Amino acid sequence: MPVQRGKEAIMEKIEESIAELRQTFKSGRTRSALWRKNQLRAMIKLITENEERAYQVLHEDLGKHPVEVYRDEVGVIKKSAKYSLSCVEKWMAPQKAHLPLIFFPARGEVMPEPLGVVLIFGAWNFPLSLTLDPLIGAISAGNTVIIKTSELSPSTSSFLAKTIPLYLDSKAVKVIEGGVDVSEQLLKQKWDKIFFTGSPRVGRIVMAAAAEHLTPVTLELGGKCPAIFDKLSKAYDVKTAVKRIVGGKWGPCSGQACIGIDYVLVEEKLAPLLIDLLKTTLKRFYGERPKESKNMCRVVNKHNFERLQKLLEDPLVAASIVYGGSQDEERLFIEPAILLDPPLDSQIMTEEIFGPLLPIITLNNIQESIEFINSRPKPLAIYAFTEDESLRRRILSETSSGSVTFNDSIIQFICDTLPFGGVGQSGYGKYHGKYSFDTFSHEKAVLRRGFFPELKPRYPPWNDFKLKFIRLAYDFNYFGLVLLLLGLKR
């Protein structure tokens, strides 16, 4: 009985919140440029005034160093909010549409309008940036919002729940905390948009629930993002490429990132060089004893620690470890590990790793990387370190992924002028910058016409002449204009 009452209380709170948000949206105040800009300014102020607290809560949840917090969380939000603030009025303005001459005299435009009440699910691995960045897009587009923070990052969740109402319009933006039961209740409601960041497994649940109300969704999922390491002519370039691979694998949340490098494809003859340079770079970044380093995140919780342990339980996988991999269950820490050619049918090569384990897969020829990538679900990102222009063209034309980055890793995520999103199993929809605004907007077509001149052949009774006339009008727009100007009668 207490459990049932608890669910009823959760449902009642959710329904009250949604009702208030709908009333706020109906009032029209979120549609004004002034409201949107004031909220974006408040977002910047929130982050600026609570920067030290952000460092604290992210260290409590994930063990993140302040430099990593600023790079991946605080700085991302400041940059995104400032960019949206500078562009939002331009984004809101109706855009003139080109009309064929047959529509003369008329004019058309595309007018962005907010969708309404939207639901944003935050993520635990970047609990500030992956919660507030979508919120920036939703606010810029003029929506009211409920944010469901991740229960797996409780300190950050509590921080957002307490802080956001102090800065943002509390009748238009609300934060709801809780676990799976709260998420389930939220998904039973009717929304105008759902934005979800997380795993493909949960993404399917979200999409199925959204289908009940025909609610549009954006799903930011993930997958096994490959890096292709090709031969490079300069020693400096080789070292730089390896440094960027290390940064793209272990830099973002110790590998717990959807855009992080999941595995590396390399020609067999280059593998020893790659492994030696990876070892050297890891020691340079994290020292001889990474467990004592303050620069590495820990695994988020015991469940995920045990999941990563399970990936290494296969004896053939354990035998493929060529560096690292030591574990400290009490501290939820796993040392960066390099694996050489683990079995391709093992879990570590069929499931997204989401941790500090890096398989290296050797090929006879780097061109085989195309077929290898295509044999697996479409990744969120492909990273290719190569000087070979023909390989670059093949990657772009013969593979499908959310993004492709040449000679670097994960940097595409912070570029506001590029869309961020997946394809196929790695996600649906995109955001960042103008793309965030578009994600939370509906582009409404507007056509304005006058009453003169009127073309009689538009109306019945039909005959062969009118059919010919309509064909000409569709096939040759300028003929339609001539006939209109001549004032042809039936």
Side-chain angles (χ1 to χ4, degrees):
M1 187 66 70
V3 174
Q4 183 63 31
R5 283 201 297 267
K7 287 185 177 181
E8 290 174 357
I10 291 171
M11 180 66 80
E12 185 177 343
K13 180 182 177 183
I14 289 172
E15 290 176 348
E16 287 176 358
S17 296
I18 295 173
E20 185 174 12
L21 293 179
R22 290 211 179 278
Q23 186 59 40
T24 300
F25 182 74
K26 188 178 179 181
S27 74
R29 81 166 182 260
T30 66
R31 291 175 177 265
S32 73
L34 179 62
W35 182 88
R36 303 183 200 198
K37 294 176 79 170
N38 282 342
Q39 299 309 300
L40 292 171
R41 291 189 186 99
M43 181 81 74
I44 296 167
K45 187 177 181 182
L46 183 160
I47 290 296
T48 302
E49 293 184 350
N50 294 277
E51 189 172 315
E52 292 299 323
R53 179 60 179 153
Y55 296 154
Q56 182 181 346
V57 296
L58 283 160
H59 186 267
E60 291 171 3
D61 285 333
L62 291 154
K64 289 191 177 185
H65 188 279
V67 172
E68 183 175 351
V69 172
Y70 195 91
R71 182 196 65 191
D72 297 344
E73 309 260 15
V74 170
V76 168
I77 297 307
K78 281 186 178 181
K79 171 189 63 66
S80 179
K82 288 177 180 178
Y83 182 74
S84 296
L85 181 60
S86 68
C87 298
V88 66
E89 287 193 76
K90 180 176 67 175
W91 296 341
M92 290 172 61
Q95 300 298 308
K96 183 179 179 181
H98 172 75
L99 295 180
L101 289 175
I102 191 165
F103 286 92
F104 178 86
R107 58 191 175 94
E109 62 185 22
V110 178
M111 187 175 80
E113 64 177 12
L115 292 172
V117 181
V118 304
L119 171 63
I120 295 175
F121 284 98
W124 58 261
N125 52 342
F126 299 92
L128 274 186
S129 59
L130 294 187
T131 302
L132 298 184
D133 205 6
L135 176 61
I136 289 169
I139 287 173
S140 298
N143 298 279
T144 58
V145 188
I146 280 185
I147 299 169
K148 166 59 178 69
T149 54
S150 174
E151 69 277 13
L152 300 184
S153 49
S155 294
T156 309
S157 175
S158 177
F159 164 70
L160 290 174
K162 292 175 181 177
T163 308
I164 285 178
L166 302 178
Y167 290 85
L168 302 184
D169 183 347
S170 61
K171 294 185 181 299
V173 180
K174 295 184 179 295
V175 181
I176 291 184
E177 295 186 276
V180 175
D181 55 337
V182 173
S183 297
E184 288 174 348
Q185 297 301 324
L186 285 167
L187 288 173
K188 290 178 181 178
Q189 307 301 310
K190 186 179 187 329
W191 304 92
D192 297 303
K193 175 82 177 191
I194 297 176
F195 188 104
F196 170 80
T197 302
S199 69
R201 179 185 65 81
V202 182
R204 292 185 183 94
I205 296 172
V206 172
M207 200 164 192
E212 290 293 318
H213 300 289
L214 296 178
T215 301
V217 297
T218 293
L219 302 177
E220 297 297 337
L221 306 177
K224 298 182 73 64
C225 300
I228 299 170
F229 184 79
D230 193 12
K231 57 182 178 292
L232 301 169
S233 58
K234 298 177 183 177
Y236 175 84
D237 293 348
V238 174
K239 291 181 180 179
T240 300
V242 172
K243 181 180 72 172
R244 292 175 179 178
I245 288 173
V246 171
K249 173 60 185 182
W250 291 281
C253 204
S254 193
Q256 299 170 106
C258 58
I259 58 168
I261 294 173
D262 192 274
Y263 62 94
V264 179
L265 298 171
V266 63
E267 288 185 356
E268 187 174 1
K269 61 187 178 184
L270 288 177
L273 171 64
L274 173 60
I275 292 170
D276 286 345
L277 288 174
L278 285 171
K279 291 178 182 178
T280 301
T281 307
L282 279 168
K283 290 175 183 177
R284 179 180 152 208
F285 282 11
Y286 305 113
E288 294 286 344
R289 298 177 180 175
K291 186 169 69 172
E292 299 174 6
S293 172
K294 296 181 180 179
N295 299 329
M296 284 203 76
C297 294
R298 65 171 180 269
V299 178
V300 64
N301 55 27
K302 187 174 181 181
H303 170 76
N304 277 276
F305 184 89
E306 291 173 348
R307 178 185 61 79
L308 291 167
Q309 277 187 321
K310 187 178 178 181
L311 295 180
L312 299 174
E313 283 179 357
D314 185 332
L316 293 177
V317 172
S320 72
I321 298 175
V322 294
Y323 178 81
S326 64
Q327 303 161 22
D328 185 338
E329 186 170 357
E330 184 178 346
R331 296 177 59 185
L332 298 177
F333 181 85
I334 296 179
E335 181 187 8
I338 302 170
L339 303 90
L340 180 62
D341 285 323
L344 297 182
D345 59 353
S346 61
Q347 279 189 311
I348 202 168
M349 286 307 300
T350 56
E351 297 181 3
E352 185 178 11
I353 295 171
F354 227 69
L357 317 176
L358 179 65
I360 294 174
I361 306 300
T362 59
L363 308 169
N364 293 323
N365 188 297
I366 201 64
Q367 298 291 334
E368 296 172 10
S369 60
I370 304 295
E371 183 180 351
F372 189 96
I373 292 169
N374 287 339
S375 68
R376 292 160 185 268
K378 297 176 181 180
L380 181 58
I382 295 174
Y383 305 107
F385 297 85
T386 181
E387 299 170 345
D388 187 339
E389 187 58 36
S390 67
L391 178 58
R392 290 177 184 170
R393 287 196 297 268
R394 288 197 66 198
I395 291 169
L396 292 176
S397 63
E398 298 180 30
T399 67
S400 179
S401 59
S403 65
V404 176
T405 298
F406 292 110
N407 299 331
D408 210 335
S409 62
I410 72 173
I411 195 170
Q412 79 280 5
F413 178 81
I414 61 173
C415 183
D416 287 315
T417 55
L418 289 175
F420 179 80
V423 60
Q425 191 169 307
S426 61
Y428 177 82
K430 54 189 180 293
Y431 73 120
H432 285 183
K434 174 64 160 55
Y435 300 97
S436 290
F437 178 89
D438 294 341
T439 287
F440 291 101
S441 299
H442 165 63
E443 292 186 327
K444 181 162 61 179
V446 181
L447 180 65
R448 306 176 193 272
R449 287 205 73 191
F451 292 103
F452 179 83
E454 171 66 346
L455 187 60
K456 298 297 184 180
R458 287 176 56 192
Y459 303 105
W462 306 123
N463 56 41
D464 290 343
F465 169 73
K466 290 175 182 175
L467 177 58
K468 291 177 181 178
F469 172 82
I470 291 170
R471 279 180 174 165
L472 283 173
Y474 273 96
D475 292 343
F476 302 99
N477 285 327
Y478 64 89
F479 267 108
L481 176 61
V482 170
L483 292 169
L484 280 167
L485 293 176
L486 289 175
L488 181 65
K489 306 298 182 183
R490 63 178 170 181

